[in-house]
């Protein structure tokens, strides 16, 4: 009788241990089987490259394999790569930069164009009332000399796109504008700044550029 009870007790304990092991294995496996969509690079990306929708893809990954710093799709597309990314790599917080403050003005410059600061006082730039996205003409007035006592301004650049209005960091006062220029227009502007005074006039938004003009206008 005692032997039978002992045998049944051993069978009961074995069954309980087997059930516990099965439950533990099921919980462990379920954590890895459960998946979620994760953003990964669809191709190799180099630093400072704009990330488009075709550059990344969503893949299902086990929740345990997802990095805690993984970014959702809306926080990746439209940003700029801050480092090298290889195809299949998860895109994390430190991999993407957004906006001018993080990415810098250069990321938004069209290929073949340049950004150049035009240091000009409010009196020579519409009282400082100019905004990003507007177009301006740049007028050069040479310094007076014995050979040319009379000075006359001449428009050297037309339809220049204002990228950003710059203000002094310490006082907040108007300091000039950042403009979108061709490399050749940058050279012209540099010579004007060294040789005389530069003035800015505002171009109407609905005015089409003249034929043969627009050296400094954007694409």
């Amino acid at each position: 009788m005692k032997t039978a009870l002992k045998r049944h007790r051993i069978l009961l304990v074995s069954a309980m241990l087997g059930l516990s092991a099965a439950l533990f294995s099921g919980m462990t496996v379920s954590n890895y089987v459960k998946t979620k969509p994760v953003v990964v690079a669809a191709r190799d990306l180099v630093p400072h490259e704009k990330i488009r929708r075709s550059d990344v893809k969503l893949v299902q990954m086990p929740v345990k394999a997802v990095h805690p710093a993984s970014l959702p799709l809306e926080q990746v597309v439209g940003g700029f790569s801050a480092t090298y990314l290889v195809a299949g790599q998860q895109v994390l917080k430190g991999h993407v930069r957004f906006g001018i403050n993080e990415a810098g003005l250069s990321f938004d410059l069209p290929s073949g164009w340049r950004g150049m600061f035009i240091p000009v006082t409010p009196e020579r730039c519409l009282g400082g009332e100019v905004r990003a996205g507007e177009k301006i003409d740049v007028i050069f007035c040479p310094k007076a000399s014995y050979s040319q006592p009379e000075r006359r301004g001449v428009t050297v650049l037309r339809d220049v796109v204002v990228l950003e209005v710059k203000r002094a960091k310490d006082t907040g006062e108007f300091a000039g504008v950042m403009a979108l220029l061709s490399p050749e227009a940058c050279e012209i502007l540099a010579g004007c700044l060294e040789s005389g005074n530069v003035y800015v006039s505002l171009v109407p938004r609905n005015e089409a550029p003249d034929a043969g003009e627009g050296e400094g206008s954007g694409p």
Side-chain angles (χ1 to χ4, degrees):
M1 186 70 178
K2 289 183 179 181
T3 303
L5 289 174
K6 185 176 181 180
R7 184 181 305 160
H8 287 305
R9 188 177 358 177
I10 293 174
L11 289 173
L12 181 61
V13 171
S14 299
M16 292 180 65
L17 288 173
L19 180 61
S20 299
L23 288 173
F24 178 77
S25 298
M27 291 175 62
T28 303
V29 171
S30 66
N31 283 335
Y32 280 94
V33 171
K34 186 178 180 182
T35 62
K36 64 178 293 187
V38 178
V39 181
V40 301
R43 64 177 182 86
D44 293 349
L45 295 170
V46 298
H48 316 314
E49 188 172 355
K50 189 164 188 177
I51 303 174
R52 296 173 175 80
R53 180 61 183 87
S54 59
D55 296 329
V56 294
K57 61 183 178 179
L58 289 171
V59 298
Q60 294 291 331
M61 295 185 64
V63 292
K64 291 288 187 179
V66 178
H67 195 285
S70 179
L71 288 174
L73 188 63
E74 62 271 15
Q75 294 184 23
V76 175
V77 176
F80 297 88
S81 55
T83 184
Y84 287 97
L85 289 169
V86 297
Q89 183 178 351
Q90 292 186 52
V91 183
L92 309 179
K93 288 182 180 179
H95 294 157
V96 183
R97 295 286 182 268
F98 264 95
I100 290 175
N101 290 336
E102 291 189 3
L105 272 173
S106 61
F107 291 120
D108 289 330
L109 289 180
S111 178
W113 293 82
R114 303 291 184 267
M116 186 170 181
F117 176 59
I118 306 177
V120 59
T121 62
E123 294 80 10
R124 295 174 180 165
C125 186
L126 310 161
E129 295 298 324
V130 62
R131 297 190 175 113
E134 293 187 304
K135 289 186 177 181
I136 57 174
D137 286 348
V138 177
I139 302 168
F140 170 60
C141 188
K143 296 177 181 178
S145 64
Y146 290 107
S147 59
Q148 292 180 326
E150 294 185 4
R151 293 181 296 173
R152 180 182 177 182
V154 56
T155 300
V156 291
L157 300 174
R158 295 185 183 275
D159 300 306
V160 174
V161 176
V162 176
L163 293 175
E164 186 179 336
V165 175
K166 304 298 291 184
R167 299 186 178 276
K169 291 185 178 180
D170 51 349
T171 63
E173 295 180 352
F174 179 84
V177 297
M178 187 74 73
L180 180 65
L181 300 170
S182 67
E184 295 77 15
C186 289
E187 295 173 359
I188 293 172
L189 179 58
C192 292
L193 292 171
E194 290 295 324
S195 304
N197 295 316
V198 166
Y199 294 78
V200 165
S201 61
L202 190 63
V203 176
R205 287 185 182 271
N206 59 354
E207 182 174 271
D210 298 331
E213 300 286 357
E215 294 181 58
S217 60

